[in-house]
Amino acid sequence: EAQLVESGGGLVQPGGSLRLSCAASGFTFAISRMKWVRQAPGKGLEWVSSIDTGGATKYYADSVRGRFTISRDDATNTVYLQMNSLKTEDTAVYYCAAGGPTTGTMVVERGQGTQVTVSS
């Protein structure tokens, strides 16, 4: 059974940084496209970033490009999201996900999420 477990969320001031981690198991991680999606309070699911197999190709939503960096470690089945220059509008539950198209919120598997709150 596929499992994705996120960690690293928390409360941070505007302009601060957080690094999210996602430990994957139960499927062949190395051949899976991995994604981060988020859901802000009262809003729908929003695609944030994707990383293809091997980690050479990465995609970002316009709202986070230049501030967030996605990466993966196939040796440990872990995907990361480094978030810098955080804004209040980045406040959301962040979900690690596997599969689906290059961009967008369609996924095959999704974790339980980790809360990120950006507030002064």
Side-chain angles (χ1 to χ4, degrees), residues 5-55:
V5 180
E6 303 94 337
S7 61
L11 173 64
V12 62
Q13 293 186 341
S17 298
L18 280 175
R19 189 194 195 202
L20 305 184
S21 300
C22 170
S25 61
F27 63 100
T28 309
F29 180 84
I31 62 170
S32 299
R33 172 178 292 131
M34 298 300 296
K35 296 182 174 181
W36 288 94
V37 297
R38 67 185 181 185
Q39 187 164 25
K43 297 188 177 181
L45 207 59
E46 176 190 16
W47 170 72
V48 175
S49 182
S50 302
I51 185 167
D52 279 347
T53 58

Side-chain angles (χ1 to χ4, degrees), residues 31-85:
I31 62 170
S32 299
R33 172 178 292 131
M34 298 300 296
K35 296 182 174 181
W36 288 94
V37 297
R38 67 185 181 185
Q39 187 164 25
K43 297 188 177 181
L45 207 59
E46 176 190 16
W47 170 72
V48 175
S49 182
S50 302
I51 185 167
D52 279 347
T53 58
T57 308
K58 305 174 184 182
Y59 308 86
Y60 297 97
D62 289 342
S63 58
V64 307
R65 186 175 291 112
R67 301 187 297 121
F68 290 13
T69 302
I70 192 170
S71 61
R72 65 189 295 159
D73 183 344
D74 290 350
T76 60
N77 289 3
T78 305
V79 61
Y80 302 97
L81 186 68
Q82 177 66 45
M83 306 186 294
N84 298 330
S85 303

Side-chain angles (χ1 to χ4, degrees), residues 2-7 21-24 27 34-37 45 93-98 107-114:
Q3 190 171 19
L4 297 166
V5 180
E6 303 94 337
S7 61
S21 300
C22 170
F27 63 100
M34 298 300 296
K35 296 182 174 181
W36 288 94
V37 297
L45 207 59
V93 177
Y94 284 72
Y95 300 93
C96 172
V107 299
V108 176
E109 300 290 344
R110 197 179 81 182
Q112 294 299 305
T114 185

